[in-house]
Amino acid sequence: MPALASHRKPRTRVRTTGPAVGITTAALASVTLLSTQSALAAPAPKPSIEDVQKKVDDLYRQAGTATQQYNQAKEATTKQRSKVDTLLDDVARRTEKLNEARRTLGTYAADQYRGGALAPTATFFLADDPQSFFDQTHLMDRMTSRQTQAVSDFRTQQVKASKQRAEAVAGLETLTESQATLRTSKQNVQTKLSEARSLLSKLTAEEKARLAELERKKEAEAKRKAAELAKKQAAAKAEADRKADEAAEAAKEAGTGSGTDTGSGTGTGTGTGTGTGSGSDTDASTKAEKVMAFARAQLGKPYVWGATGPASYDCSGLTQAAWKAAGVDIPRTTWDQVNVGTRVATADLQPGDLVFFYDDISHVGIYKGDGMMIHAPKPGANVREESIFYMPIYGSVRPG
């Protein structure tokens, strides 16, 4: 018997290998591409020692700028706090005067109350709006001259007390702003110094040695320039002395060759002129000597930003203290110190002059002669002597 044919529809084979292969191929391609890109993305090159030196120097300079901002904010805060304290004292005194005027009016009101009906003076004092009541002319007509004066004093004290309270409130707001600026400046200094320390801490022993060598070369070049300046200044002084000697000799010969009367007149005139000039020069020289004596006595003391002595200094704190020792008060910050006294060219510098550095005037030192200065350099360093050419010079002044 023949076999029965199957009535089930044949199953269609589904190809699965093709797409699977395609997906696998795409995935492999992606992995290969990512691997290739990772291999091509080389790690960032390590900065050279020269770059590190430049970066560290720049961070210290920025820290110096932030230090001057801190000094400025601190000075403003101190002044504003003093002003606010004075205003609050004034408000207290004014309030007491206002209370005295109020007590005087109260005395009048009590007297009138004991005398019978509540008088207009008492009504004025007890009213919710004394000013409006005061403006009514019939009140003034019924007041004695003493009562009128008492009311006038009360109004005056009331207005002044209100004004001073407003000034005190405004002063407190300004003080709050100054304190906020002070905190921000302090944070900026700390941030810059932390960045500099972080950079230096990542250097290997060999890299630190190379950095030290770069510093030595920089110092040597700065000293070379200082020696050149010293040589030029010595030559200029010698020439000035020679001309002065020639002028003095010429004057002496002219006086000897003339008559007695002329000689006497010339001698008197010369004596007066010389005395005046000598006094001025001596005074300036004495101040400079005191400045330098003070500065030399601070050698070896640590730099601390914001410090004004006597145990430590920042750059402008040292210069301010040195000139104060000579009896001359100069401002706290480099930005204000640079505007004090007379501007001086680098070739004409004399001991005691202040030399400022960088375009932002963030550092200052005291010129000691021969192209050298005494200054408080930066955190981690002590007050020391150094060439003025170690940093880019902005300009110089002669206080006093």
Side-chain angles (χ1 to χ4, degrees), residues 11-19:
R11 293 171 60 186
T12 304
R13 287 183 173 271
V14 180
R15 297 183 60 191
T16 57
T17 54

Side-chain angles (χ1 to χ4, degrees), residues 16-96:
T16 57
T17 54
V21 172
I23 293 172
T24 303
T25 303
L28 289 172
S30 299
V31 172
T32 303
L33 179 59
L34 291 173
S35 300
T36 304
Q37 289 176 340
S38 299
L40 292 176
K46 189 174 183 179
S48 66
I49 294 301
E50 289 77 9
D51 290 338
V52 171
Q53 182 191 41
K54 184 178 179 181
K55 180 65 175 177
V56 169
D57 286 347
D58 188 54
L59 284 170
Y60 277 130
R61 183 192 61 76
Q62 291 178 41
T65 302
T67 296
Q68 295 307 313
Q69 292 171 340
Y70 171 85
N71 293 339
Q72 189 177 56
K74 185 177 181 180
E75 188 174 43
T77 299
T78 301
K79 289 181 179 178
Q80 191 60 30
R81 183 179 288 111
S82 176
K83 181 179 179 181
V84 167
D85 288 344
T86 300
L87 285 171
L88 292 175
D89 289 342
D90 289 344
V91 167
R93 285 192 292 269
R94 187 64 61 187
T95 300
E96 179 58 30

Side-chain angles (χ1 to χ4, degrees), residues 26 51 56 108 116 131 169 180 189 215 228 230 241 245 273 316 360 384 389 393:
D51 290 338
V56 169
Y108 288 139
Q131 180 60 49
V169 169
V189 174
E215 286 293 326
E228 287 182 358
D241 291 344
D245 290 342
S316 56
D360 60 359
R384 66 193 184 199
F389 296 101
I393 296 174

Side-chain angles (χ1 to χ4, degrees), residues 4 64 195 211 344:
L4 293 175
E195 290 180 23
L211 181 61
V344 181

